[in-house]
Amino acid sequence: MPENSAKFRNRKSGIRKVRRVAHHVVLIILAAFWIFPVYVLLVDSLKSTQGVLTTPILLPASSSLNSLISTFQVLMGQFFNSVVIAVGTAAISTFVGAMAAYYFYRVSSRINDVIFTIIAIATFIPFEVTAVPLDKLLITIGLFNSIPGLIFSFLIFFLPTGALLMSIFIAVLPKLTIESARIDGANDWTIFSKVVIPLTYPGLISTFIFILIETWNNFFIPLVATSTPNVSTVSLSLLSYTGGYGVLYNDSFAAALVASIFPLLIFVFLGRYFVRGLMAMGTGSKG
Amino acid sequence: MRISKTIIFSIPALIFGGILIYFLLWNLFYSFTNWSPINSNYKIVGFATYAGIFASQHFQSTLTRTLMWTGGMFLAGNGMGIVFASLIFFLKNPRLRTIYSSLFLYPLAIAMSAVAIIWSWIYSPSEGIDTLLKYAGLPTFGFISNSAQALPSLILITIWVYSGLASVFYLAAFQNVSSDSIESARMDSAGPIVILRKILLPEAKNAFIVSSALLIIFSLRIFTIPYVSTGINPKTETSVLYLFNFFTYGYYAQAAAVSIIVIVIAIIVVIPYALFGIKRWINA
Amino acid sequence: MVNIKIGNVSKEFVKKKSTTKALEDIDLEIASGEFFGILGSSGSGKTTLMRIIAGLEVPTIGSVTFDDTIVSKDNKINVEVEDRNVGMVFQNWALYPHLTNYENIAFPLRVQRLNQGEISKRVREIADLLDIRAVLGKKPREASGGQQQRVAYARALVKNPSLLLLDEPFSNLDATIKDVARRYTREIQKKLGFTAIIVSHDPADIFSLSNRVGVINKSRIVQVGKPIDVYSAPATVEVARATGEYNILKVELKEEGNAFSANAGEDFVVPIENNVEINGSMAKSGILGFRPDEVIIYPISEKDVEVPKGFMECGTAEVAISSYSQGSFRVNLNLNHQDNSFFCLNNTPFPPGEKVKVFIKAGSPCIFDPDTNKIIPSFH
């Protein structure tokens, strides 16, 4: 019955068209909801004081860079602290984590499995629970309220994370490659630096980016480990920009933009590495 | 032997991992004491501190809020994650797929304190959504300034932040389903909803485990959003804020005991997940 | 140029709760400068044995001695891989994908911190010897399989190892270049004089290269000897199969006067030269084994066929199918019992169902004990 089947196909394609349109409409609406806070962030951090006084945050107004510039000048010190701390923590965690991962990869034993499992579980513990002992430890070793103290504190959380992530990424290396390096007479350090590091490059970047973003955005650890603004990070500094009565919202949004621009740009340009780190963290896959 | 030299490689990570374990044990020890500003010469009191905390109405309400938050994140995070993942999965254009995936994930890359600031302005009765609703003559919500809505409003923010996380795992699971079974379903003229229900979701069990575990763990550690947008506030105080409050005022034994309670909850969540995940981490 | 003694080595792998024995009671001595082959199927333990010699695994019990030094003993490694001066060529060559071929070859020398000039001189020397100068600047994956393999050789040899280990080095090569590779392997070994051990499942590797061979089956060394001796007088059916293609038939052993024979049904009787005894009395049944290339067949329709010289007439069989393989036809034959079949090689195919006369080379068949699969030695 050729006519019959042709009609049938027609009806189907009509449904399909409606479905396709609905599919895109739903996606666009959801995307609009998700992008909305960034719209607000950009529009309002660029508002002039005049605009702030005449429009609510959801509506655009004449723009000016004044508030962004002045806020950045205020937060420059903290911004720089954040760069140093985040890059330092991410670099050390990735590299030292990779070393540990190399060890766990090279030497497999029951005890190592247990140690590794404990560390892996510990990295998922909410870090708020360490507030008191962290505070006490930092005061005891004299690192409280200092940049090195902050990096040290972050390393406690992110070095195990680095080891966990790198263990996942290192596992793709064929064991034979390492064995052939041993036969070639290479010691552990040579194998690690000349063979393992170059061959796990993408995994290293993923781990680095993941920890970089996590460290930059962390609020709680600087809150516990510091007490003065000069060693504070930019994400902690936002605390003084919450919507009290003295604050104009353009300054508040400008501060939020200053605090977010660094990880946001990294996400835009190197997001796939961040996602790969996330996937590895969640499922142990090297995606 | 060489193996013993290789151990050097693990030592720095083990030291820092060890400190983390030490912190947990520290909490365990001091939770059995009565260390506080009035008892700076603390002594071991057994479970007395725990008993006091469990009996306190204040703690019970924070724990309820924490569990509501966890439940909300678990339900809405998984739900939105599945919605995003399936909408993205059925897109044919790979560029659009990438763009939408990033679009739903980017909140994770923004500092939580910035998120809190942005949303507290959005929720502001004098400048935010409510202002527009008032202009339009519509009823207003109140959001964080309304005591009944403060907590759900904050939970909504974290759903905005974390749904993309869940969608990453669901999308990965969907993409792992063999295209043969999807194509053969298409030939049986199954629509996308049927394909989703009968083929994709049953294959996404692992994604469900992973995203549930991560959503729950992340919701347990949520601190910045309530702390920055509402401060330590009886309407929105969760267990970790409660614990932080004890810490600020020097009630270390109480802080330690609440810590242990949170750790136990976290471990209860992590262990089934670990049984699923760590085997792969190790044997990966 | 090192002498290797493997003393009573056993290896167990413990995984979860189960223990697998990979090697049991291995005793071997490999002379300095010898080219020794280890032949076995996959899972036989041959690779484990090689890894123990290399130092990548430790023997659970027993010892490995290089010249007079015990390099590992009873679950303890005394001399690590790095210090054994061993070169190894892996099955998939395990080249470093991120380094150029030049840097791959130079790697062992860089590890020794030789100066740039010395490294360059030695890399070029070995590259000339192996004819891979043209690919030195390329990455391994940009070179052909044969070239990659020679890069792997160069990397293994550039440090003048006293022992070269070859782990199935030809199995990833195209058939056409396998023989070329075998030839230069032999030539280099003769020229440089190192001790070499090759592990393979392919008897062709062993026959073309090694002075002696050890056949390993189910974790044990079953037979050690010159390849040709092992080939013609295999100790067990497994050795016979490991060393080349082999036919086995279930037979009844008969004694008539001074004549002995192995009967596989009425139509197929193979005369054997001597009686075969188990525990001092004539065996009743056994396994008859012979090589397919020691069989000649003629169609039964062809009259007046003379018994070919040096062969003996054994009876008739029916062609099941003929197939083509490597330059000749492989003719599968059934005896009247369906469960007894064998094959031989012939220049022309036969149609299925055709009856043929079968001749087997005199003196070549062996008789094995049906219970143990071990050869039953003949008595005069």
Side-chain angles (χ1 to χ4, degrees):
Chain A
M1 292 173 285
E3 305 107 319
N4 217 349
S5 70
K7 218 192 286 167
F8 182 68
R9 209 175 288 137
N10 243 335
R11 189 171 61 92
K12 267 286 195 192
S13 88
I15 289 176
R16 217 172 280 149
K17 204 175 274 169
V18 171
R19 203 189 265 151
R20 196 164 54 226
V21 172
H23 182 188
H24 283 282
V25 168
V26 172
L27 258 177
I28 288 167
I29 291 173
L30 281 172
F33 267 111
W34 247 253
I35 205 80
F36 166 68
V38 166
Y39 155 79
V40 172
L41 177 68
L42 291 176
V43 162
D44 291 308
S45 56
L46 292 172
K47 268 185 195 169
S48 61
T49 309
Q50 180 62 27
V52 170
L53 295 174
T54 54
T55 53
I57 62 157
L58 303 184
L59 300 176
S62 61
S63 64
S64 102
L65 282 173
N66 287 348
S67 130
L68 206 51
I69 290 167
S70 63
T71 313
F72 184 72
Q73 279 164 348
V74 174
L75 290 176
M76 204 155 63
Q78 284 81 5
F79 189 91
F80 185 68
N81 287 348
S82 278
V83 172
V84 170
I85 291 163
V87 171
T89 304
I92 297 170
S93 301
T94 306
F95 189 75
V96 179
M99 285 172 61
Y102 170 74
Y103 168 75
F104 285 114
Y105 180 68
R106 263 289 312 274
V107 187
S108 53
S109 73
R110 263 270 190 269
I111 304 165
N112 281 342
D113 287 358
V114 172
I115 296 174
F116 186 76
T117 308
I118 292 174
I119 292 179
I121 291 179
T123 57
F124 285 104
I125 298 294
F127 26 67
E128 286 85 356
V129 302
T130 62
V132 194
L134 176 63
D135 181 58
K136 299 283 167 219
L137 179 69
L138 288 176
I139 290 170
T140 312
I141 60 178
L143 287 178
F144 182 75
N145 200 32
S146 68
I147 302 280
L150 266 177
I151 294 180
F152 173 82
S153 312
F154 277 120
L155 286 179
I156 296 171
F157 295 97
F158 290 116
L159 227 163
T161 309
L164 183 65
L165 287 177
M166 282 313 298
S167 299
I168 292 159
F169 292 122
I170 264 182
V172 296
L173 268 186
K175 280 228 150 108
L176 273 186
T177 307
I178 286 179
E179 286 176 350
S180 81
R182 293 187 68 203
I183 285 174
D184 289 343
N187 61 25
D188 279 322
W189 179 252
T190 314
I191 297 175
F192 179 70
S193 58
K194 296 271 163 61
V195 179
V196 173
I197 290 285
L199 288 177
T200 50
Y201 208 49
L204 284 167
I205 297 178
S206 290
T207 308
F208 179 82
I209 298 285
F210 185 80
I211 296 177
L212 185 75
I213 291 182
E214 292 293 298
T215 311
W216 180 282
N217 289 345
N218 194 293
F219 177 86
F220 189 80
I221 290 167
L223 181 68
V224 170
T226 66
S227 57
T228 55
N230 64 316
V231 291
S232 170
T233 62
V234 68
S235 66
L236 179 63
S237 309
L238 292 189
L239 206 43
S240 49
Y241 286 89
T242 50
Y245 288 99
V247 181
L248 284 178
Y249 71 68
N250 57 350
D251 285 346
S252 198
F253 280 108
L257 185 59
V258 169
S260 309
I261 194 73
F262 183 80
L264 213 47
L265 285 180
I266 289 175
F267 182 79
V268 169
F269 291 108
L270 299 167
R272 62 184 185 282
Y273 290 104
F274 179 74
V275 173
R276 202 184 295 156
L278 210 62
M279 288 292 294
M281 190 83 180
T283 61
S285 74
K286 304 114 213 166
Chain B
M1 274 178 50
R2 285 299 162 94
I3 294 302
S4 51
K5 273 197 214 159
T6 314
I7 280 188
I8 296 170
F9 278 74
S10 72
I11 284 173
L14 287 183
I15 290 174
F16 283 95
I19 296 175
L20 199 52
I21 306 293
Y22 159 78
F23 284 174
L24 304 185
L25 297 176
W26 190 98
N27 276 315
L28 188 64
F29 176 77
Y30 285 101
S31 68
F32 292 114
T33 70
N34 63 351
W35 191 5
S36 73
I38 37 173
N39 291 316
S40 49
N41 292 319
Y42 56 84
K43 57 178 196 287
I44 307 284
V45 295
F47 285 93
T49 307
Y50 286 100
I53 283 170
F54 277 116
S56 124
Q57 201 117 61
H58 190 173
F59 170 73
Q60 289 168 11
S61 65
T62 65
L63 188 62
T64 314
R65 264 178 237 119
T66 297
L67 295 178
M68 280 170 68
W69 208 310
T70 308
M73 281 264 279
F74 169 75
L75 291 174
N78 274 311
M80 292 308 288
I82 291 170
V83 169
F84 289 155
S86 26
L87 286 173
I88 293 169
F89 181 76
F90 286 111
L91 283 175
K92 289 198 182 67
N93 183 338
R95 272 192 66 139
L96 276 182
R97 280 188 182 197
T98 322
I99 290 172
Y100 278 114
S101 315
S102 314
L103 231 151
F104 295 127
L105 193 64
Y106 84 91
L108 271 184
I110 302 182
M112 279 292 190
S113 50
V115 168
I117 285 193
I118 297 169
W119 280 89
S120 42
W121 282 112
I122 292 176
Y123 285 157
S124 154
S126 58
E127 307 285 352
I129 296 175
D130 275 351
T131 331
L132 281 193
L133 292 175
K134 227 183 291 171
Y135 279 150
L138 294 168
T140 55
F141 287 101
F143 297 110
I144 48 179
S145 45
N146 172 322
S147 60
Q149 280 172 23
L151 185 65
S153 303
L154 294 188
I155 295 178
L156 196 67
I157 303 179
T158 56
I159 290 166
W160 174 76
V161 172
Y162 285 111
S163 293
L165 176 84
S167 78
V168 167
F169 294 110
Y170 282 107
L171 188 57
F174 292 171
Q175 281 166 344
N176 269 344
V177 175
S178 92
S179 56
D180 289 357
S181 57
I182 295 168
E183 273 158 16
S184 76
R186 283 227 168 96
M187 276 171 209
D188 298 341
S189 67
I193 304 283
V194 176
I195 292 176
L196 179 68
R197 273 188 39 225
K198 300 278 175 194
I199 299 173
L200 298 180
L201 285 180
E203 294 290 322
K205 219 187 304 163
N206 289 350
F208 174 73
I209 295 173
V210 172
S211 45
S212 302
L214 292 183
L215 286 168
I216 293 172
I217 289 160
F218 288 146
S219 61
L220 285 176
R221 67 160 73 146
I222 281 170
F223 174 88
T224 317
I225 291 203
Y227 185 79
V228 174
S229 41
T230 57
I232 307 252
N233 182 316
K235 291 175 294 187
T236 55
E237 187 177 0
T238 61
S239 293
V240 289
L241 284 159
Y242 183 62
L243 136 73
F244 181 72
N245 215 12
F246 275 133
F247 157 68
T248 335
Y249 292 103
Y251 288 88
Y252 296 133
Q254 270 95 337
V258 178
S259 296
I260 291 298
I261 295 166
V262 173
I263 291 167
V264 168
I265 298 174
I267 284 182
I268 289 171
V269 179
V270 173
I271 281 183
Y273 166 55
L275 290 179
F276 156 79
I278 286 177
K279 243 182 244 152
R280 295 216 221 156
W281 291 330
I282 290 175
N283 301 332
Chain C
M1 299 113 276
V2 59
N3 170 297
I4 292 155
K5 264 200 237 53
I6 294 156
N8 198 26
V9 161
S10 293
K11 175 71 184 173
E12 290 176 353
F13 288 108
V14 182
K15 230 185 192 179
K16 296 272 155 69
K17 275 157 206 155
S18 68
T19 307
T20 19
K21 285 201 165 174
L23 291 174
E24 280 181 77
D25 305 325
I26 306 289
D27 263 305
L28 269 182
E29 182 161 359
I30 296 160
S32 178
E34 186 176 14
F35 205 129
F36 191 83
I38 299 171
L39 185 63
S41 55
S42 68
S44 60
K46 62 184 194 301
T47 300
T48 306
L49 180 56
M50 167 159 284
R51 291 170 60 83
I52 285 176
I53 297 169
L56 295 169
E57 301 278 356
V58 53
T60 311
I61 34 176
S63 63
V64 179
T65 314
F66 279 27
D67 287 334
D68 296 321
T69 316
I70 296 175
V71 292
S72 59
K73 191 180 180 188
D74 298 346
N75 228 357
K76 194 171 175 308
I77 288 190
N78 300 334
V79 180
E80 286 285 347
V81 201
E82 296 89 314
D83 308 322
R84 289 193 186 183
N85 196 19
V86 170
M88 188 157 172
V89 177
F90 292 91
Q91 183 171 2
N92 65 357
W93 311 315
L95 294 171
Y96 309 118
H98 62 298
L99 300 178
T100 60
N101 291 321
Y102 178 94
E103 284 302 326
N104 263 282
I105 300 168
F107 190 86
L109 304 179
R110 297 217 185 277
V111 166
Q112 295 173 16
R113 303 187 180 285
L114 296 186
N115 68 47
Q116 206 63 42
E118 176 72 10
I119 290 176
S120 166
K121 185 175 141 262
R122 283 175 60 178
V123 170
R124 280 173 211 290
E125 264 172 28
I126 195 81
D128 284 342
L129 191 65
L130 287 158
D131 194 23
I132 43 172
R133 221 166 158 154
V135 296
L136 283 182
K138 292 182 181 172
K139 291 276 175 70
R141 63 168 179 279
E142 295 161 349
S144 72
Q147 287 165 334
Q148 286 184 45
Q149 197 222 23
R150 278 178 279 165
V151 172
Y153 264 88
R155 182 182 64 177
L157 295 172
V158 73
K159 60 178 179 182
N160 290 325
S162 47
L163 171 65
L164 180 70
L165 299 173
L166 305 167
D167 183 7
E168 302 264 8
F170 310 116
S171 65
N172 278 351
L173 291 180
D174 287 345
T176 46
I177 53 172
K178 268 187 190 179
D179 276 334
V180 180
R182 287 177 185 132
R183 202 185 70 215
Y184 68 69
T185 306
R186 191 83 185 103
E187 282 168 1
I188 291 169
Q189 195 261 346
K190 275 196 176 140
K191 188 167 175 187
L192 303 179
F194 49 81
T195 309
I197 301 177
I198 178 169
V199 158
S200 180
H201 70 282
D202 185 352
D205 295 344
I206 308 294
F207 290 123
S208 56
L209 293 172
S210 63
N211 310 112
R212 278 195 312 147
V213 59
V215 182
I216 190 164
N217 181 51
K218 289 184 185 150
S219 329
R220 288 175 184 275
I221 294 268
V222 196
Q223 194 172 4
V224 179
K226 285 190 176 150
I228 187 64
D229 294 344
V230 175
Y231 182 82
S232 53
T236 67
V237 172
E238 288 77 19
V239 171
R241 285 193 164 146
T243 48
E245 294 198 287
Y246 206 61
N247 285 311
I248 56 167
L249 296 173
K250 275 174 262 163
V251 291
E252 297 295 317
L253 298 169
K254 293 273 161 64
E255 180 178 10
E256 275 173 49
N258 275 337
F260 303 98
S261 65
N263 300 8
E266 286 165 19
D267 304 336
F268 200 80
V269 177
V270 180
I272 43 181
E273 286 171 355
N274 307 298
N275 75 336
V276 279
E277 293 184 15
I278 293 178
N279 299 331
S281 60
M282 176 70 193
K284 294 229 158 38
S285 64
I287 294 171
L288 177 78
F290 53 96
R291 301 271 172 200
D293 49 310
E294 291 166 336
V295 179
I296 294 177
I297 50 174
Y298 285 108
I300 206 158
S301 53
E302 214 166 294
K303 303 290 173 200
D304 308 322
V305 173
E306 279 184 27
V307 177
K309 201 163 179 238
F311 279 71
M312 47 201 188
E313 186 164 357
C314 298
T316 57
E318 191 184 302
V319 173
I321 191 85
S322 305
S323 60
Y324 183 78
S325 114
Q326 295 176 0
S328 63
F329 290 90
R330 187 184 165 109
V331 184
N332 288 284
L333 298 151
N334 282 340
L335 299 179
N336 41 10
H337 307 289
Q338 273 300 316
D339 57 335
N340 254 346
S341 64
F342 66 99
F343 73 96
C344 66
L345 304 173
N346 202 52
N347 293 335
T348 51
F350 284 86
E354 175 149 16
K355 297 251 185 214
V356 294
K357 263 185 196 152
V358 180
F359 304 91
I360 297 179
K361 196 174 179 186
S364 76
C366 298
I367 306 288
F368 299 91
D369 183 330
D371 299 324
T372 61
N373 277 356
K374 282 187 181 148
I375 197 161
I376 305 173
S378 307
F379 285 81
H380 286 279

